[in-house]
Each structure stands twice: as structure tokens, then as C-alpha cells.
Amino acid sequence: MSFDEFLLANEKEVRMTFFFGMLIFIGLWELLAPKRVLTISKSVRWINNLGLVFFNTFLLRVLFPAAAVGVAVFANEQDWGLFNYFDIPLWFAVVASVIIMDFVIYIQHVMVHAIPMLWRLHRVHHADMDYDVTTGSRFHPIEIILSMFIKFATILLLGPPIIGVIIFEIVLNATAMFNHGNISLPKTIDKYLRLLLVTPDMHRVHHSVEDDEANSNFGFSLPWWDRVFGTYRAQPRAGHIDMTIGINKFRDLKQVAWLPGMLMLPFVGKMSGYVINRRQWTDKENES
Ligand SMILES: [Zn+2]
Ligand SMILES: [Zn+2]
């Protein structure tokens, strides 16, 4: 059995191993050398944030049992997508697929901040008043489903190698857990590593209550898109220890720390009148 055959046959197990491996690795790092003092107890955070992760995982298994890999298998069988039209080396197609899919995630992330209705979903990720490994996978189920559709469409248009999709899923998940860690790297290592990978200090800026800071550093794995498109911000104004994490408007623990509140968070506030006008943007600015 070749490496990619093994990966394909054991895809779910490999992804689970990476998820729990990173959770234990970053979780221990946070325990031994935390960057910031938590405002909410670790047990409440882990139970509720991970509760949401397990709920989302279950939901995706039920709704899309074949998942992204299944769509990639289908695209390959049907010869759909850009990469299936050209005879390009596998290694190149794998690397290019991972980079392109990461770019799509960046665009999607900018979009969920810019479109008020989508921001309502995405604010579940941002309303976390602390920043740790469990924040990295904390998303509203509807945002998760929306991401899945965007991923499926990308795969159908791109026709990436199946192994490229598996590698992308593992890399995205592992880097999201790493860069949401309540940890810090030595300054020099952070400085060079963030040329290749989004580091915890780089993404923490994005979780600031300050609107201009929250609208920067959208990258999840690769840091290049923020630099290319002008959304890069090196550090938070208040510094990493003194900066406030979360959303100013949402500081009630029932809403931001407990699972039922998190699931309802997109529906809080006036739902009607979703015209993108000056007042809407001002409301959003005040909120984030
Ligand atoms: Zn965001
Ligand atoms: Zn984040």
C-alpha cells in the first residue's frame, strides 16, 4: 500500500490523530507556559468550546459523510476541475492545491467579516474572551456548513489531487490549533516563522476588540495573503498581554462562554433591514 493509498483508506483516523495530538501538545504548552491569564476558567472553556467542536464534527458526518475528500475523489473520477485538464507533476499539483485552497479560506475569512449577515455567524469565533487552542475550532455550525460548501465548490473547480485535499485539511486544522495557542515563541523565532506560517502572536491581533486590529491578519495557515493584500498588522497597539480579546458588545458569559448562548449568538440583535449602508457599518464597527 502506497502512502497516499494509506492516507485515503485511513483519512478520518489520521485527522483525528492530528487533532488530538495537537490538542494535547498545545494544551500542555499552555498549561506549562501560558502567554496570558485566562478570564474564564479553563474547564468552562474546554467543555463548551470543545462541545461545539464535537457537535460540528457530528453534524458534518451526518450531512456530508463523504466530506471534502469524497468530493475530490468524485472530481478526479469525472475529470472535473482545472488540474484534471492538464498533465502536471503530482507534487506540483499537491503544493499548488494546498496554497490555492488556503487562499480561498483567506478570501472567505475577509468575506465573513465584511458581510453583516455572515459576520453574525463568525462573531461566535470572535466572541471568545480568551484565546487558546480551543478557540481555533470554535465556529457556529452554520458557518461550518457554509465553509464546507465553499470548499466543495473550490474542489470541483480546481480538481486537486486527493492527497492534496487530505494534506490541506490536516495542515489547516493543525495550524489553526497552533496559532490560536495561548503560547508565545521567542521573538526571533516568531519573526522568521511568520514569514512562512501564521504564528500565535500574529493571529492574536485578529482577536482584538479593536475594529482595525480585528480587520487584519485574516490568514489561517499561510501569512502571505495578508502581506500581499495589505491586511497585515505586526502587533496589537496595547501589547499582547494588555490587549482585550473578544467583542466589546458581547461580554456576558452566558452568551460567549456557554454553548447554548454561542449557538444563539448570530440571532441576537435586530435581524431586519440588512442593507449595507453607512449605519450598518457603523453598527458593526461599534460591535467588534
Ligand atoms: Zn475572523
Ligand atoms: Zn481566530
Side-chain angles (χ1 to χ4, degrees), residues 219-233:
F220 258 77
S221 296
L222 299 174
W224 312 325
W225 317 121
D226 284 302
R227 293 183 189 251
V228 169
F229 295 103
T231 50
Y232 176 70
R233 190 177 291 263

Side-chain angles (χ1 to χ4, degrees), residues 8 26 52 97 111 148 168 174 177 224 277-278 282:
L8 188 57
I26 304 292
L52 183 56
S97 304
M111 195 177 79
M148 212 60 182
F168 171 73
M177 292 173 87
W224 312 325
N277 56 26
R278 183 75 202 116
T282 316

